[in-house]
Structure formats: C-alpha cells, structure tokens
C-alpha cells in the first residue's frame, strides 16, 4: 500500500488551483439518473470517490462519455439489478442513488453505505423523508436497505429530524419527479446542496428556497438534459488556508468562490489568521498574528461545528492541527461525529499539547514543536490534517493509507510539490 513520505519545516510559496467540490460532485452525478437525456458535468474533481460513483453508475446502466479529466457527459439507461457491495462500502455517497432510482420507480436493494469511519452515521433521516413521499423503507437481516416505491411518489410536507446533508439531497432528488408539491423543513443548505438544486433546476425542476433550510419543490413528469459546472471546493480551500497558517507560508489560492468563506473567516480569525479575498482567489500572507484569541470575558475560546452556515464539521480536523502551531489555548468541540477527534492521538504522539476530554472535545495548547512520526490516515480530513502536521514538523514523517486522503483531494502530491513541499509517494 502506498504512503506519503514528507520532510517538513519548509516554507511554502506559490499558487494552488482549487478543485471542484467533492461533496457537490457526488449528488450531481447521482442526479443524472433522473433523466434519459444527456447531462454534462464539468469541474468534477478526479478523485477516488468520484471514480467509484462512476463505476456504480455504469452498473446501473448509465453510459459515461469522458470529455476531459474533469468533464463528462452522462446518459441514463436504468437497469438496476444490484450494486457491488465493495464499491458501496467504499463511498458513503452511494446512498445518493436511492432518491433518483425511487423517483424513477425502481425498487432499491443495497448494502449499507460505507465511507469515513468517524462515528455513527444513521440513516433514519433518509427513511423519514422518503417514507413521507410514499416509499416503504426497511432493513433486512443482512443489513441491506430495502426501499420500495409506490407506482409514483407523492409530494409531501417533510420535516427532517436533523439537517442531514445526504438525506436532504435524497429527498430533493426524489421529490423532483413526485406528483404534486413537496416542502422540506430543516433542510441542510450547504454550498454543495445549493449546487445540486441549481443543476436540478437547469434540468427542469422547480426548487425554491435554495440556500435556506426551507425548500419548496414542484414535482415534474420528467426532467431534461443540462450542462452544469460544479463549484469550487471550500473544504479544500480551508485545508490550504490551514496549511499556510501551520507552516508559516504565503499562498495564493485560485479558482475559489469567496461567497462561501464567511464561516471559515470567523474560524481562522480565532486562531489569529487572516486572509484576503478577491473575486475568485484567496491570498494568505506569511506574516500573521498567530495568537489564539480569548473570549470578550477573557476565558478560553471555543471552535465548534454546526450545520451551514456554521463552521463546517469537515474542517475541524484541519483547525485542530493548525491550532497546535498557534500561541494560546483553544477548545475544539466536535458536536456531530463522536469518533472524528480520535486522530489527535497521533498529534499527541508527535508532541502536540492536546487533552482529549471525551469523544467530542479536545483542548489544544500551542505552540507545540512537532516531531517526526509514522502516521496512518483514518479518514479524508484527518488524513489531510496529518499531511499539514508533517509539513510543519522538523524531520521526516510517513503517512499510510493515503487512499483515504486521495478520496477527497485531487492531485494533492502535485499541488503541494508545486508550492515547494518535500513530499513523495512510496510503496
């Protein structure tokens, strides 16, 4: 299995092009099942999760015509006879095929989706929304999901018990072909969900309230083909801001969307890190305050995650390692997943001053001088956090299971090498 070998403590300098949003690409690929006409998607990141979704799509009968590494046309010819369990297990986004298949009148029988091991990720919210549209939902003795639609889904008033991203996406896609109007309350509204809604509207849907937690969807008899460009990945943008901050580097990030960076700006401000936003790029200067702020009453500050527009859960791993290279103390509160913070054991082994209070909270005190260590990536974001830690370390680190990292970061090796990082892939 391949690994990264990284020699750290080097100042980075240069430009990085931000790739398309991974979390938008997966539901948009699934949405191509909603029509038999051509759907052309561009700015799709060439990453492992996308490749798996494409393999699953071809198992469902779709044809994919690649125009370039990041652009393809999708033609849906559904013939659902099951999906390869190992592929479903490798990417959680596989659950997103459920909504479109049910909308097209297909019974869905699939293994439980896999993906990152970051704690309990229940499917109840999916079942709640789909059941409201008329789907009979159950789980058999193998743990397989059995989803049986009526002759046609019926529009419904849906209230989700949590603002689940993938459950919201499944309900939206299913509702686009349902009879009548559907409303979704407590809908997740992250930028990737907005991308999905904009694609669906180009395909002929009628979705109102995009960007809010209340959506109104008028069902259509059929949808048509469309062209759509996936937006920039703000998670990748935040990761590279953290990289610049932790390594004391100057970076220019191009092809970004600055309209989605307000939550990141507030989070990094707590670490004493500023960046400048332009039309489609971000400049992170080398000279930074790098002092963790305290609250107005003078006590230890806290950074916690929340549904959009709160601080993104996916970036807390990045912020944790970045905080080790700042001066001061910060409480990291991961409220959404109970296993995501366990990767800090590796940071502690590297010399970071972190107290893991419980599965959801960690107290980080900096600045810590990190030392070389052999690391293993548990998931996409924690893996990227380890890359940042290694680049901030004096000495050589190795990171195993880099496939986990490359599930979410396109051309990471090339991008980091291009700004001066000493990083190689080894077998």
């Amino acid at each position: 299995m391949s690994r990264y070998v990284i020699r750290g403590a080097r100042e980075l300098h240069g430009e990085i092009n931000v790739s398309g949003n991974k979390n938008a690409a997966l539901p948009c690929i699934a949405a191509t099942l909603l029509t038999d006409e051509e759907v052309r998607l561009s700015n799709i990141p060439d990453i492992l999760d996308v490749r798996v979704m494409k393999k699953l799509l071809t198992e469902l009968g779709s044809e994919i015509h690649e125009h370039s590494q990041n652009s393809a046309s999708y033609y849906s010819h559904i013939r659902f006879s099951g999906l390869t369990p190992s592929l479903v297990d490798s990417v959680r986004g596989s659950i997103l095929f459920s909504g479109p298949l049910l909308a097209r009148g297909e019974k869905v029988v699939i293994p439980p989706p896999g993906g990152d091991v970051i704690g309990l990720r229940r499917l109840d919210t999916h079942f709640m929304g789909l059941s409201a549209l008329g789907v009979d939902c159950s789980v058999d003795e193998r743990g397989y999901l059995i989803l049986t639609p009526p002759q046609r889904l019926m529009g419904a008033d849906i209230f989700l018990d949590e603002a689940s991203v993938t459950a919201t996406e499944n309900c939206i896609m299913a509702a686009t072909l349902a009879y009548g109007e559907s409303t979704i309350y407590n809908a997740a509204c992250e930028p990737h969900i907005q991308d999905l809604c904009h694609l669906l509207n180009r395909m002929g849907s009628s979705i109102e309230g995009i960007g809010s937690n209340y959506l109104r969807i008028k069902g259509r008899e059929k949808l048509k083909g469309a062209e759509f460009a996936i937006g920039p990945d703000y998670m990748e943008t935040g990761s590279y801001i953290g990289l610049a901050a932790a390594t004391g580097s100057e970076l220019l990030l191009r092809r970004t969307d600055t309209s989605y960076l307000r939550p990141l700006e507030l989070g990094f401000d707590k670490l004493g890190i500023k960046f400048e936003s332009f039309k489609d790029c971000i400049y992170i200067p080398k000279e930074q305050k790098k002092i963790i702020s305290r609250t107005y009453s003078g006590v230890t500050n806290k950074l916690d995650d929340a549904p959009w527009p709160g601080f993104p859960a996916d970036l807390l791993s990045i912020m944790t390692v970045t905080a080790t290279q700042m001066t001061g103390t910060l409480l990291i509160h991961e409220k959404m997943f109970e296993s995501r913070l366990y990767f800090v054991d590796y940071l502690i082994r590297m010399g970071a001053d972190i107290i893991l209070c419980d599965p959801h909270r960690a107290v980080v005190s900096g600045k810590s001088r990190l030392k070389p260590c052999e690391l293993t990536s548990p998931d996409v974001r924690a893996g990227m956090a380890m890359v940042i830690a290694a680049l901030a370390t004096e000495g050589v680190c190795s990171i195993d299971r880099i496939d986990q990292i490359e599930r979410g970061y396109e051309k990471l090796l090339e991008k980091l090498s291009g700004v001066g990082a000493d990083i190689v892939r080894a077998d």
Side-chain angles (χ1 to χ4, degrees):
M1 184 177 292
S2 297
R3 69 186 191 278
Y4 290 147
V5 178
I6 299 172
R7 184 179 297 275
R10 296 184 56 158
E11 185 178 319
L12 310 179
H13 180 83
E15 301 180 5
I16 295 176
N17 289 329
V18 175
S19 299
N21 189 336
K22 161 190 178 287
N23 290 330
L26 304 188
C28 286
I29 288 173
T32 64
L33 290 170
L34 289 165
T35 179
D36 294 331
E37 297 181 21
E38 176 190 4
V39 178
R40 182 165 181 165
L41 301 178
S42 59
N43 202 32
I44 297 285
D46 183 23
I47 54 176
L48 184 58
D49 273 12
V50 166
R51 293 180 208 130
V52 172
M53 288 291 282
K54 287 181 177 180
K55 288 180 182 178
L56 290 168
L57 199 62
T58 58
E59 288 189 355
L60 292 169
S62 292
E63 296 178 22
I64 303 175
H65 297 173
E66 304 282 355
H67 303 296
S68 69
Q69 197 172 45
N70 304 108
S71 175
S73 290
Y74 301 80
Y75 301 86
S76 171
H77 309 290
I78 298 173
R79 52 175 187 272
F80 181 52
S81 59
L83 296 171
T84 301
S86 60
L87 293 177
V88 174
D89 186 59
S90 67
V91 56
R92 186 166 180 82
S94 56
I95 190 66
L96 293 169
F97 290 122
S98 302
L101 287 171
L102 293 166
R104 299 293 298 273
E106 295 286 337
K107 180 178 180 179
V108 178
V109 181
I110 59 171
D116 289 332
V117 182
I118 54 176
L120 180 65
R121 305 178 79 176
R122 63 193 184 92
L123 297 173
D124 298 59
T125 308
H126 293 259
F127 291 172
M128 180 181 299
L130 295 174
S131 294
L133 295 168
V135 178
D136 180 51
C137 304
S138 62
V139 179
D140 70 12
E141 64 280 357
R142 301 168 298 170
Y144 276 50
L145 314 181
I146 314 296
L147 309 175
T148 307
Q151 188 170 6
R152 185 179 180 187
L153 301 182
M154 300 295 292
D157 181 16
I158 301 169
F159 186 90
L160 302 179
D161 64 336
E162 65 176 6
S164 163
V165 169
T166 51
T168 298
E169 291 165 341
N170 256 335
C171 291
I172 291 171
M173 289 188 283
T176 59
L177 294 180
Y179 178 80
E181 182 175 285
S182 297
T183 54
I184 306 176
Y185 292 84
N186 197 28
C189 54
E190 277 78 358
H192 29 284
I193 294 180
Q194 297 176 43
D195 259 13
L196 172 64
C197 291
H198 290 308
L199 166 63
L200 292 171
N201 276 352
R202 289 197 184 183
M203 293 170 66
S205 297
S206 174
I207 304 174
E208 299 176 0
I210 299 173
S212 75
N213 65 354
Y214 173 68
L215 299 174
R216 180 181 289 109
I217 305 164
K218 295 179 182 177
R220 302 299 195 200
E221 287 287 340
K222 60 183 297 186
L223 298 184
K224 60 184 179 180
E227 292 188 19
F228 186 74
I230 301 297
D233 195 332
Y234 66 102
M235 300 296 186
E236 185 180 4
T237 300
S239 299
Y240 289 131
I241 295 172
L243 169 66
T247 58
S249 301
E250 178 187 40
L251 293 177
L252 181 67
L253 308 181
R254 293 193 177 276
R255 301 181 186 174
T256 64
D257 186 340
T258 58
S259 64
Y260 292 138
L261 299 183
R262 294 287 295 276
L264 278 63
E265 187 176 8
L266 291 176
F268 279 105
D269 186 60
K270 291 183 178 182
L271 302 185
I273 300 297
K274 301 284 189 181
F275 55 86
E276 300 175 32
S277 300
F278 302 96
K279 181 180 179 181
D280 62 351
C281 61
I282 299 294
Y283 171 67
I284 309 105
K286 176 184 175 181
E287 298 301 323
Q288 299 279 359
K289 187 177 180 182
K290 302 183 80 169
I291 297 175
I292 298 172
S293 65
R294 300 180 75 83
T295 67
Y296 285 110
S297 59
V299 301
T300 298
N301 218 332
K302 177 178 72 170
L303 181 63
D304 53 1
D305 57 355
W308 188 264
F311 193 84
D314 278 6
L315 286 179
L316 276 190
S317 302
I318 305 298
M319 301 301 281
T320 301
V321 71
T322 303
T324 69
Q325 300 307 295
M326 307 295 112
T327 300
T329 301
L330 181 70
L331 171 63
I332 299 288
H333 191 180
E334 165 56 281
K335 295 181 292 189
M336 300 175 71
F337 303 103
E338 70 274 6
S339 300
R340 184 163 244 159
L341 287 179
Y342 286 143
F343 87 101
V344 303
D345 287 346
Y346 284 104
L347 299 182
I348 294 170
R349 197 180 306 170
M350 296 176 75
D353 186 355
I354 302 176
I355 298 173
L356 185 60
C357 307
D358 55 44
H360 293 277
R361 295 176 300 165
V363 177
V364 184
S365 298
K367 177 181 179 180
S368 296
R369 183 175 180 177
L370 302 180
K371 58 187 179 183
C373 190
E374 293 187 2
L375 307 168
T376 300
S377 172
D379 64 74
V380 174
R381 307 304 173 185
M384 184 61 188
M386 289 178 179
V387 170
I388 294 172
L391 289 168
T393 299
E394 293 184 10
V396 178
C397 296
S398 67
I399 304 176
D400 290 322
R401 291 194 71 198
I402 61 174
D403 59 303
Q404 285 288 331
I405 305 170
E406 293 175 350
R407 285 180 46 224
Y409 290 89
E410 182 182 40
K411 298 180 180 177
L412 181 62
L413 200 68
E414 294 177 31
K415 291 182 179 182
L416 294 179
S417 298
V419 294
D422 188 346
I423 176 172
V424 296
R425 181 193 302 272
D427 294 324

